[in-house]
Amino acid sequence: MLDSIPSLARLVAELGKFPGIGKKTATRLAFFLLRQSTSEAQALAEAILELKTRVGYCSVCFNITESDPCPLCTDAGRDERILCVVEDPQDLIAIERSRSFRGRYHVLHGALSPLDGIGPEDLKVAELLARLRDSPVEEVLIATNFTVEGEATALYLARLIHPLGIRVSRPAHGIPMGSDLEYVDEATVVRAVEGRREI
Amino acid sequence: MLDSIPSLARLVAELGKFPGIGKKTATRLAFFLLRQSTSEAQALAEAILELKTRVGYCSVCFNITESDPCPLCTDAGRDERILCVVEDPQDLIAIERSRSFRGRYHVLHGALSPLDGIGPEDLKVAELLARLRDSPVEEVLIATNFTVEGEATALYLARLIHPLGIRVSRPAHGIPMGSDLEYVDEATVVRAVEGRREI
């Protein structure tokens, strides 16, 4: 039946390319668009095209931005002496949302993963090192994910950065806020006890 | 952070209008599009615009179609004597997929729902009656959903169609294929036993 309406079949196929959206959900979304007014559908189509036209990468920190350098790199109110390294722009957004960091950023666009063939040359590693040379940076906070790939990337970067005489740190491990100790995994409890703080 | 990238914020807002897609999923989809090539994003935007330009409603059965009358109405191989009434184009697709029906269709575009202020004048009811007068239709299969609204709509239509001397039917109730009797609801078991067939 969908085959007899090629433009509907085509949209279902396009929406089905999104991660986590199967054929059923794609069909549901397409039918929703069909019931929307033309101007509403146009607004969505334009937003998609505009995103690709306007958003690029900052030539300094490689975060996504509409202006180059990005607002985070040009904000004079941020601390030049501490640089936070993240895997993806989404991670940067999570840290910004927490309002816990007021330094600069550097986005790697991934993590080392030999199994997937991702080496340092596929990430913004050379750009990071070039940035650190002759810079006011005193500390690099490596906020890659706490996965095997993220940890390996952190260790790899630390080894490269230490010779530059710059301190390297990682966010603390511990019990997540609001947790019931009973349900926290053992490894996290070990780290939390080791890192205990006097109150 | 999203606020500093207006085109990204705008796309997240647009994607968030889809039913069942919250802000988190919308953000994930927008970042996926950001990683796609411009031509892939364009393909999606064009598919959306094309859908709204090309797809309309058949003036005979009110199913969605790119040509008017639609292929189902013009197909000479289908039986003119039986007409299946459904609430939505999606229901029509479900019946077509089952390959169990070879007659014509009529799409109501909803069901009666006094609480939501939906009366017969909001549905393609007058169009259905006009179609049935002086037509070769001998039986109307009312395949509205088996919900309160769908059942009420079926009863309402049956009362209007009977005086025209046309038979009215509903799809059979019974145990769904592959079901474990233990888990089938009581009302369905009652209908299945009442409607038992000799084998």
Side-chain angles (χ1 to χ4, degrees):
Chain A
M1 200 355 246
L2 275 188
D3 304 337
S4 68
I5 311 169
S7 57
L8 183 63
R10 187 182 153 198
L11 180 59
V12 169
E14 288 294 334
L15 290 171
K17 289 180 186 170
F18 277 119
I21 295 203
K23 199 180 172 185
K24 268 206 170 162
T25 307
T27 307
R28 196 168 53 79
L29 299 182
F31 269 102
F32 173 78
L33 275 178
L34 210 49
R35 286 193 304 271
Q36 296 299 97
S37 70
T38 302
S39 66
E40 283 168 307
Q42 270 169 349
L44 173 58
E46 277 162 23
I48 291 167
L49 294 173
E50 223 183 67
L51 180 82
K52 297 303 289 186
T53 325
R54 294 214 187 159
V55 177
Y57 296 107
C58 172
S59 59
V60 179
C61 72
F62 300 98
N63 184 26
I64 50 168
T65 178
E66 290 193 12
S67 53
D68 188 17
C70 76
L72 292 170
C73 285
T74 51
D75 182 351
R78 300 189 75 105
D79 191 343
E80 295 256 309
R81 291 166 300 175
I82 177 160
L83 186 77
C84 178
V85 176
V86 293
E87 291 183 19
D88 295 306
Q90 291 100 306
D91 300 328
L92 187 160
I93 291 174
I95 295 174
E96 278 298 286
R97 202 166 37 214
S98 77
R99 293 201 187 80
S100 58
F101 181 77
R102 289 295 298 166
R104 306 271 184 206
Y105 287 96
H106 190 87
V107 182
L108 293 174
H109 288 278
L112 295 176
S113 180
L115 283 176
D116 300 317
I118 298 173
E121 65 286 356
D122 300 307
L123 308 175
K124 303 295 179 191
V125 170
E127 290 83 349
L128 171 63
L129 296 173
R131 239 183 119 176
L132 292 177
R133 275 182 208 109
D134 308 314
S135 81
V137 175
E138 295 169 10
E139 178 180 349
V140 175
L141 170 57
I142 307 183
T144 52
N145 292 326
F146 290 88
T147 56
V148 174
E149 291 81 9
E151 297 276 15
T153 308
L155 282 176
Y156 174 83
L157 291 179
R159 215 169 293 163
L160 291 176
I161 297 167
H162 278 139
L164 304 175
I166 296 171
R167 261 179 303 141
V168 179
S169 59
R170 282 282 273 162
H173 273 297
I175 315 290
M177 294 291 284
S179 293
D180 189 328
L181 260 181
E182 185 179 348
Y183 301 113
V184 175
D185 69 287
E186 212 176 292
T188 300
V189 175
V190 169
R191 298 286 199 110
V193 172
E194 282 171 3
R196 65 191 176 278
R197 298 172 57 169
E198 209 170 300
I199 55 166
Chain B
M1 199 353 245
L2 275 187
D3 303 337
S4 69
I5 311 169
S7 56
L8 183 62
R10 187 182 154 201
L11 181 59
V12 168
E14 288 294 334
L15 290 170
K17 288 179 185 169
F18 278 118
I21 294 205
K23 200 181 171 185
K24 267 205 171 162
T25 307
T27 307
R28 195 168 53 79
L29 299 183
F31 270 103
F32 172 77
L33 275 178
L34 210 49
R35 285 192 303 271
Q36 297 298 98
S37 70
T38 302
S39 66
E40 283 168 306
Q42 270 170 347
L44 173 58
E46 277 162 23
I48 292 167
L49 295 173
E50 223 184 67
L51 180 81
K52 297 302 289 186
T53 327
R54 295 214 186 159
V55 177
Y57 296 107
C58 171
S59 59
V60 179
C61 72
F62 301 97
N63 184 26
I64 50 168
T65 178
E66 290 194 10
S67 53
D68 187 18
C70 76
L72 292 170
C73 285
T74 51
D75 182 351
R78 300 190 75 104
D79 191 344
E80 296 256 309
R81 291 165 301 173
I82 177 160
L83 186 77
C84 177
V85 177
V86 292
E87 291 184 18
D88 295 305
Q90 290 100 307
D91 300 328
L92 188 159
I93 290 174
I95 295 173
E96 277 298 287
R97 203 167 34 215
S98 76
R99 294 201 185 81
S100 58
F101 181 76
R102 290 294 299 165
R104 306 272 184 204
Y105 286 97
H106 189 87
V107 183
L108 292 174
H109 287 278
L112 295 176
S113 179
L115 284 176
D116 300 317
I118 298 173
E121 65 285 355
D122 300 306
L123 308 175
K124 304 294 179 192
V125 170
E127 290 83 349
L128 171 64
L129 295 173
R131 242 184 117 176
L132 291 176
R133 276 183 207 105
D134 310 313
S135 80
V137 175
E138 295 168 10
E139 178 181 349
V140 174
L141 169 58
I142 306 183
T144 52
N145 291 326
F146 291 87
T147 56
V148 174
E149 292 81 10
E151 297 276 15
T153 308
L155 283 175
Y156 174 84
L157 292 179
R159 214 168 295 162
L160 291 175
I161 297 168
H162 277 139
L164 304 174
I166 297 171
R167 260 180 302 142
V168 179
S169 59
R170 282 283 273 162
H173 273 298
I175 314 289
M177 295 291 283
S179 292
D180 189 326
L181 260 182
E182 185 181 347
Y183 301 113
V184 175
D185 70 288
E186 212 177 291
T188 300
V189 175
V190 169
R191 299 286 199 110
V193 172
E194 281 172 2
R196 65 190 176 280
R197 299 171 56 169
E198 210 170 299
I199 53 164

